[in-house]
Amino acid sequence: MTLAEKVYLPAIAKGMGITLKHFFKKDSTIQYPKEVKPRAKVWRGRHVLKRDEEGRERCTACGLCAVACPAEAITMTAAERTKEQKHLYREEKYASTYQINMLRCIFCGMCEDACPKSAIYLTDRLVDAEQNRTSFVYGKDKLVEDMDNRIDVSERQKKSYK
């Protein structure tokens, strides 16, 4: 072993070279609220329960999305539609409660693929930051699409139902 190797000079010089190389490299940090990092077209974010053109909910509470979910994040309760609710729901059966636990969800998109009525989609929106764990259980109040502020999922749609 040489004297230079004994005092670790080559290793120190090599480490300083790596440090200097990274020191003059362009910074990759983005200023998040002002700048948004571009995402791929197939990126899956927050869920939405779609409505049809007349404003009725598409979900018929068949439960296929809950069965297909590998994380078991989706729960729902089915109910029968009354005559007074005909303008709210498309079918005789609807989901009276529909919940997704966003802390369990792995954003795989299997619920979207399993739905025969094209009722649930994963959008390009981010999941909101919350302060406590119970706020991450999204119910129909957060999931059902607002008719005044519709979300375009035409990139993700494979087939259309009317």
Side-chain angles (χ1 to χ4, degrees):
M1 207 184 241
T2 66
L3 180 65
E5 288 175 338
K6 287 181 181 177
V7 293
Y8 305 111
L9 288 179
I12 292 172
K14 186 177 177 183
M16 292 300 289
I18 292 171
T19 302
L20 286 173
K21 183 174 79 172
H22 286 285
F23 185 74
F24 293 110
K25 194 184 264 188
K26 186 177 183 272
D27 194 15
S28 62
T29 304
I30 60 168
Q31 304 300 318
Y32 170 63
K34 296 172 191 153
E35 298 176 42
V36 178
K37 184 177 178 183
R39 295 186 209 71
K41 284 187 175 185
V42 295
W43 187 81
R44 295 185 285 262
R46 188 174 174 193
H47 300 70
V48 65
L49 286 172
K50 294 293 285 179
R51 294 180 183 261
D52 64 4
E53 293 77 27
E54 298 175 23
R56 299 175 300 182
E57 289 182 22
R58 291 183 181 180
C59 181
T60 59
C62 65
L64 290 175
C65 57
V67 172
C69 182
E72 298 178 359
I74 301 173
T75 57
M76 71 178 70
T77 306
E80 292 286 329
R81 177 186 75 183
T82 61
K83 290 181 181 178
E84 297 84 35
Q85 296 173 327
K86 192 169 186 169
H87 66 285
L88 296 175
Y89 308 106
R90 290 170 60 158
E91 308 284 336
E92 288 80 24
K93 198 169 106 176
Y94 71 97
S96 61
T97 60
Y98 192 100
Q99 293 180 335
I100 299 178
N101 187 341
M102 294 308 231
L103 296 174
R104 296 188 84 182
C105 179
I106 58 174
F107 300 94
C108 63
M110 293 179 86
C111 56
E112 183 178 297
D113 294 336
C115 185
K117 300 291 183 179
S118 295
I120 188 165
Y121 282 99
L122 280 83
T123 64
D124 58 351
R125 313 270 168 95
L126 292 171
V127 175
D128 298 330
E130 303 285 348
Q131 294 293 323
N132 56 5
R133 295 179 66 84
T134 57
S135 301
F136 283 105
V137 178
Y138 285 9
K140 286 179 76 171
D141 56 334
K142 288 187 179 182
L143 292 172
V144 176
E145 168 181 55
D146 183 21
M147 286 304 287
D148 297 331
N149 189 16
R150 298 205 63 168
I151 299 172
D152 182 27
V153 291
S154 57
E155 290 284 326
R156 302 193 63 83
Q157 287 178 331
K158 296 181 178 91
K159 53 192 173 222
S160 64
Y161 292 95
K162 293 191 179 187

